[in-house]
């Protein structure tokens, strides 16, 4: 009996080693090597879905760059406005899209909604659920598409056999970690299986011009499970985020070969599926029966979309010695910097105070245009004075206490005015030329001290 051959693979980058090593020499990560069986004796690189000799295929020839014509991308709408926005305008024929996210966040529901809304022939392949379970979820969505075909299968060869018979317009794989190929002895979900199955699906998508969507699991660090090369192979990587205890879900684009990576999609989860949020600014601002101190509204940009978001701050005496600095949805290091500016430039004694900061809606933001809103919220909570109603803040704060203008200031102010904000505080350093906009009074100041003095007197 022949001895089984094994090798060690890095779970982060997919590098191979004959023996186990603690630190990967390729990517530098520690304790990422796992042992897997090597591939069977099959040196053929032919695609599983189409058996033809490599010699019969036309060979590509190098061409001068000026002789290459660029054609407009062949896109079609997914029937979901938020998904089309994140993809850059719709689904590109022949593209391979990977969607990752926490368990139960709504990845399968999102793609099932797309599959049953499109009037195209869709093959939905699930390795985790039976067709009966998927049909029950489709019944809850209340949409029926006679051209949507369900297949419960984990063998890649059997999937390609069904694809050859059905000839679908789009393929959905749920999930890539459940597929396995008989060309490898490794178990489903291993690095070699994920890499091989993704490579075969990529060839299928490119050579047949058929778009394919892959659902990917994530590990405990929040990254997509499997080798890092998986994200390099696909055309688009989408990340589905959100708290399972909240109704809002956020679809981010971390890689897109056919468009921008700055777009953001927001959904609301219901019993009947995911609902698109047309105006996220309205749902990101809480409705308070009574005015509270420590609450400020800031305007930020997510791609081409302006968002108004609520910043909540709570400042209280540190009764347990060392003051706490806790952030939810905001960079704690940037909060430390803003607190140091308030203490040094304005004399606000925060060294003996606990400071808690929260961005409502479950969003994680890194836009410096929220600096002024954060400072105003902290100053309001520290003095227990409520901010004026319908007031919005848009400016970056520097270490010297100066206020800097941010990009696309007019777009942000238009969004604030549309939602009824009558007072808008901005920087006069480059962005203070606009005095009023749609019945909203614009207050422009060069420094943080001047803005807070105008607010609180």
């Amino acid at each position: 009996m022949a001895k089984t051959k094994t090798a060690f693979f890095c779970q982060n980058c997919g590098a191979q080693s004959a023996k186990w090593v603690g630190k990967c020499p390729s990517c530098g990560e520690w304790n990422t090597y796992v042992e897997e069986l090597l591939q069977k004796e099959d040196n053929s690189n032919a695609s599983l879905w189409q058996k033809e000799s490599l010699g019969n295929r036309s060979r590509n020839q190098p061409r001068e760059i000026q002789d290459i014509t660029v054609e407009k991308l062949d896109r079609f709408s997914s029937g979901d406005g938020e998904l089309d926005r994140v993809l850059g305008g719709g689904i590109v024929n022949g593209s391979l899209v990977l969607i990752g996210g926490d368990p139960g966040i709504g990845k399968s529901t999102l793609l099932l909604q797309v599959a049953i809304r499109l009037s195209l022939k869709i093959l939905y392949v699930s390795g985790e659920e039976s067709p009966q379970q998927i049909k029950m979820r489709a019944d809850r969505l209340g949409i029926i598409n006679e051209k949507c075909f369900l297949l419960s299968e984990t063998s890649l060869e059997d999937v390609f056999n069904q694809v050859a018979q059905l000839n679908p317009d789009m393929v959905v794989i749920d999930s890539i970690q459940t597929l396995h190929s008989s060309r490898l002895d490794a178990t489903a979900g291993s690095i070699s299986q994920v890499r091989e199955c993704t490579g075969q699906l990529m060839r299928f998508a490119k050579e047949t011009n058929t778009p394919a969507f892959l659902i990917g699991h994530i590990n405990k660090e929040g990254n997509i499970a499997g080798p890092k090369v998986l994200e390099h192979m696909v055309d688009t990587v989408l990340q589905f985020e959100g708290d399972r205890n909240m109704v809002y879900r956020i679809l981010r684009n971390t890689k897109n070969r056919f468009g921008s990576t700055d777009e953001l999609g927001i959904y609301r989860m219901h019993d009947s599926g995911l609902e698109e949020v047309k105006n996220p600014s309205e749902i990101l601002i809480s409705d308070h029966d009574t005015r509270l101190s420590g609450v400020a509204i800031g305007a930020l940009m997510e791609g081409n979309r302006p968002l108004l978001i609520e910043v909540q701050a709570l400042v209280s005496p540190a009764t347990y010695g060392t003051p706490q600095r806790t952030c939810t949805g905001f960079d704690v290091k940037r909060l430390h910097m803003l607190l140091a500016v308030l203490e040094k430039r304005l004399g606000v004694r925060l060294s003996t105070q606990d400071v808690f900061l929260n961005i409502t809606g479950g969003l994680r933001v890194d836009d410096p245009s929220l600096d002024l809103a954060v400072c105003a919220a902290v100053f309001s909570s520290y003095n227990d004075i409520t901010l004026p109603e319908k007031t919005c803040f848009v400016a970056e704060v520097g270490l010297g206490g100066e206020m800097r203008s941010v990009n696309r200031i007019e777009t942000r102010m238009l969004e604030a005015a549309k939602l009824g904000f009558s007072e808008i505080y901005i920087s006069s350093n480059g962005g203070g030329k606009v005095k009023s906009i749609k019945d909203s009074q614009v207050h422009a100041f060069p420094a943080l001290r001047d803005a807070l003095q105008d607010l609180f007197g």
Side-chain angles (χ1 to χ4, degrees):
M1 183 176 179
K3 183 179 179 181
T4 303
K5 296 182 179 180
T6 62
F8 292 85
F9 294 88
C10 175
Q11 291 180 303
N12 184 54
C13 66
Q16 181 178 347
S17 174
K19 61 180 180 179
W20 184 87
V21 291
K23 182 179 180 181
C24 177
S26 297
C27 62
E29 295 292 328
W30 287 87
N31 300 323
T32 57
Y33 272 80
V34 294
E35 186 177 14
E36 293 184 10
L37 295 173
L38 290 178
Q39 186 173 350
K40 291 182 178 180
E41 293 297 328
D42 183 6
N43 296 325
S44 174
N45 290 324
S47 174
L48 290 175
W49 60 271
Q50 185 177 9
K51 293 294 183 180
E52 60 178 338
S53 63
L54 294 177
N56 294 332
R57 297 185 181 181
S58 60
R59 297 178 179 272
N60 292 326
Q61 299 294 332
R63 299 162 58 189
E64 294 184 4
I65 189 170
Q66 63 267 21
D67 295 335
I68 299 176
T69 59
V70 179
E71 299 179 357
K72 185 178 180 180
L73 290 175
D74 188 12
R75 296 180 184 265
F76 63 92
S77 175
S78 66
D80 187 311
E82 295 298 299
L83 180 59
D84 287 346
R85 176 195 295 271
V86 176
L87 291 176
I91 301 173
V92 178
N93 286 323
S95 62
L96 189 62
V97 182
L98 176 65
I99 299 182
D102 293 324
I105 204 69
K107 305 182 296 296
S108 301
T109 301
L110 175 63
L111 290 186
L112 182 59
Q113 285 185 181
V114 173
I116 60 181
R117 282 176 178 173
L118 286 174
S119 58
L120 303 174
K121 188 185 294 185
I122 310 294
L123 178 60
Y124 190 101
V125 182
S126 176
E128 301 175 345
E129 296 178 291
S130 65
Q132 291 77 13
Q133 291 175 303
I134 302 175
K135 178 61 166 57
M136 290 172 58
R137 192 187 312 129
D139 290 339
R140 291 198 301 268
L141 299 178
I143 310 172
I144 299 177
N145 179 12
E146 297 178 354
K147 296 182 180 180
C148 181
F149 296 85
L150 304 180
L151 175 64
S152 182
E153 186 58 69
T154 58
S155 171
L156 185 63
E157 288 79 7
D158 292 339
V159 170
F160 280 137
N161 289 335
Q162 296 299 326
V163 167
Q165 298 178 18
L166 188 62
N167 192 22
D169 299 314
M170 191 176 82
V171 177
V172 177
I173 305 294
D174 184 11
S175 65
I176 186 61
Q177 280 83 9
T178 61
L179 283 187
H180 67 87
S181 171
S182 60
R183 300 174 65 179
L184 300 177
D185 285 331
T187 59
S190 61
I191 293 173
S192 53
Q193 283 285 8
V194 171
R195 184 171 55 233
E196 173 68 16
C197 293
T198 304
Q200 293 293 341
L201 288 167
M202 180 182 65
R203 294 180 186 178
F204 159 74
K206 300 303 180 185
E207 297 184 19
T208 64
N209 204 31
T210 303
F213 282 80
L214 311 179
I215 293 179
H217 297 164
I218 65 171
N219 52 29
K220 61 182 181 180
E221 288 82 16
N223 301 318
I224 297 177
K228 199 68 177 177
V229 70
L230 173 63
E231 300 180 37
H232 293 285
M233 295 170 67
V234 300
D235 297 311
T236 306
V237 179
L238 306 181
Q239 193 76 19
F240 217 26
E241 303 174 357
D243 190 343
R244 295 181 60 184
N245 299 320
M246 301 182 65
V247 297
Y248 297 110
R249 303 288 187 267
I250 301 167
L251 186 63
R252 294 185 184 274
N253 195 335
T254 59
K255 174 189 176 182
N256 191 2
R257 289 174 177 163
F258 309 114
S260 172
T261 59
D262 296 328
E263 296 296 343
L264 184 79
I266 300 180
Y267 296 88
R268 182 188 288 110
M269 175 65 79
H270 291 291
D271 294 337
S272 58
L274 290 165
E275 176 189 351
E276 302 175 41
V277 177
K278 301 296 184 181
N279 190 358
S281 295
E282 293 181 349
I283 61 101
L284 293 175
I285 300 175
S286 305
D287 293 329
H288 299 289
D289 295 333
T290 58
R291 295 172 59 192
L292 304 173
S293 63
V295 178
I297 306 299
L300 56 87
M301 295 294 299
E302 285 287 354
N304 297 321
R305 170 183 288 184
L307 296 179
L308 263 64
I309 195 165
E310 181 177 303
V311 179
Q312 298 177 341
L314 177 63
V315 180
S316 62
T319 57
Y320 298 103
T322 305
Q324 301 182 59
R325 303 288 187 262
T326 305
C327 290
T328 303
F330 194 78
D331 185 10
V332 66
K333 293 182 179 179
R334 191 159 191 88
L335 175 63
H336 290 163
M337 184 202 77
L338 295 176
L339 296 181
V341 171
L342 285 171
E343 186 156 358
K344 177 71 174 180
R345 306 301 178 186
L346 278 76
V348 183
R349 299 297 301 274
L350 297 171
S351 58
T352 59
Q353 305 288 321
D354 291 334
V355 179
F356 304 92
L357 191 72
N358 177 48
I359 304 297
T360 61
L363 287 178
R364 295 193 61 85
V365 298
D366 55 2
D367 193 337
S369 63
L370 282 183
D371 287 355
L372 182 56
V374 171
C375 292
V378 171
F379 195 87
S380 170
S381 179
Y382 176 78
N383 293 284
D384 199 18
I385 302 175
T386 58
L387 289 166
E389 195 174 2
K390 296 298 181 179
T391 303
C392 181
F393 303 91
V394 191
E396 179 185 357
V397 176
L399 291 179
E402 75 280 7
M403 288 166 50
R404 302 194 185 104
S405 182
V406 295
N407 63 336
R408 304 185 67 177
I409 186 68
E410 290 82 4
T411 303
R412 302 170 194 252
M413 291 192 295
L414 283 172
E415 179 71 12
K418 185 176 68 174
L419 294 178
F421 285 85
S422 57
E423 307 286 334
I424 305 175
Y425 282 77
I426 65 173
S427 169
S428 62
N429 300 321
K433 296 181 181 180
V434 181
K435 296 302 179 184
S436 63
I437 184 169
K438 282 192 176 181
D439 300 327
S440 296
Q441 182 65 34
V442 178
H443 304 274
F445 297 98
L448 177 62
R449 177 186 295 274
D450 300 329
L452 294 183
Q453 185 174 2
D454 183 78
L455 275 169
F456 300 100

